[in-house]
Amino acid sequence: MSDAQAISDIYKHYITDTTITFEEQLVSAAQMAGRIQEILSSSLPWLVIEQSGRVVGYAYASKWKARSAYRYSVETSVYLQHGIAGKGLGSQLYQALFDALKARGFHLAIGGIALPNEASVALHEKFGMKKVAHFEQVGFKFDQWIDVGYWQKVL
């Protein structure tokens, strides 16, 4: 898991400075390596994107639910290094992720978005994902209640 430290470093910003993730404790490189291994051992993709040999973003899919009838549905996630959004890297990652999921026979991709988040909504809708749910005040971080919307796409 040679990319675990870089991925952990990217994720740190989202934990400490945003409501994009509901995680509140930092994730060490060792913990991130364990998460990556868990995804990969489930035959799911974990992708990174590099610039000048340095990891600047990542995307992965995780099981939507544990029960067997959900086995063809996944939840997708994409994160970029703080400050490099708007250059098409998120789109490159998402396209590669959707291609990998299709190639592996998955049927449905689901993206959860802490709201408001115009950039993430735009990215998901760019790939044909449709909003299917909105949970009000489902998370509490930084002394505020946060809504979460869900988008989905049949692959």
Side-chain angles (χ1 to χ4, degrees), residues 11 14 19-22 60-64 74-79 94 97-98 108-117 119-125 129-135 138 146-153:
Y11 194 44
Y14 294 95
T19 58
I20 289 171
T21 180
F22 284 2
Y60 65 94
S62 55
K63 293 178 182 178
W64 171 243
V74 294
E75 185 169 8
T76 58
S77 296
V78 61
Y79 291 94
Y94 241 17
L97 184 62
F98 288 139
L108 186 74
I110 301 164
I113 304 172
L115 300 172
N117 186 336
S120 189
V121 169
L123 176 66
H124 286 77
E125 292 182 351
M129 297 184 89
K130 304 286 185 222
K131 187 175 184 183
V132 295
H134 187 121
F135 297 106
V138 70
I146 305 156
D147 293 1
V148 173
Y150 282 93
W151 277 251
Q152 72 173 36
K153 174 182 179 169

Side-chain angles (χ1 to χ4, degrees), residues 42 44 61-75 101 104-110 152 155:
S42 297
L44 292 164
S62 55
K63 293 178 182 178
W64 171 243
K65 300 267 187 187
R67 292 198 166 82
S68 64
Y70 291 115
R71 68 188 172 277
Y72 296 106
S73 298
V74 294
E75 185 169 8
L101 291 169
R104 291 179 174 145
F106 288 98
H107 177 70
L108 186 74
I110 301 164
Q152 72 173 36
L155 299 168

Side-chain angles (χ1 to χ4, degrees), residues 18-40:
T18 78
T19 58
I20 289 171
T21 180
F22 284 2
E23 203 136 24
E24 296 179 290
Q25 301 299 317
L26 294 180
V27 177
S28 71
Q31 290 169 313
M32 189 61 74
R35 291 179 183 191
I36 295 167
Q37 185 56 46
E38 182 179 343
I39 295 295
L40 295 176

Side-chain angles (χ1 to χ4, degrees), residues 35-52:
R35 291 179 183 191
I36 295 167
Q37 185 56 46
E38 182 179 343
I39 295 295
L40 295 176
S41 68
S42 297
S43 298
L44 292 164
W46 188 299
L47 310 173
V48 297
I49 193 164
E50 297 181 345
Q51 283 186 331
S52 303

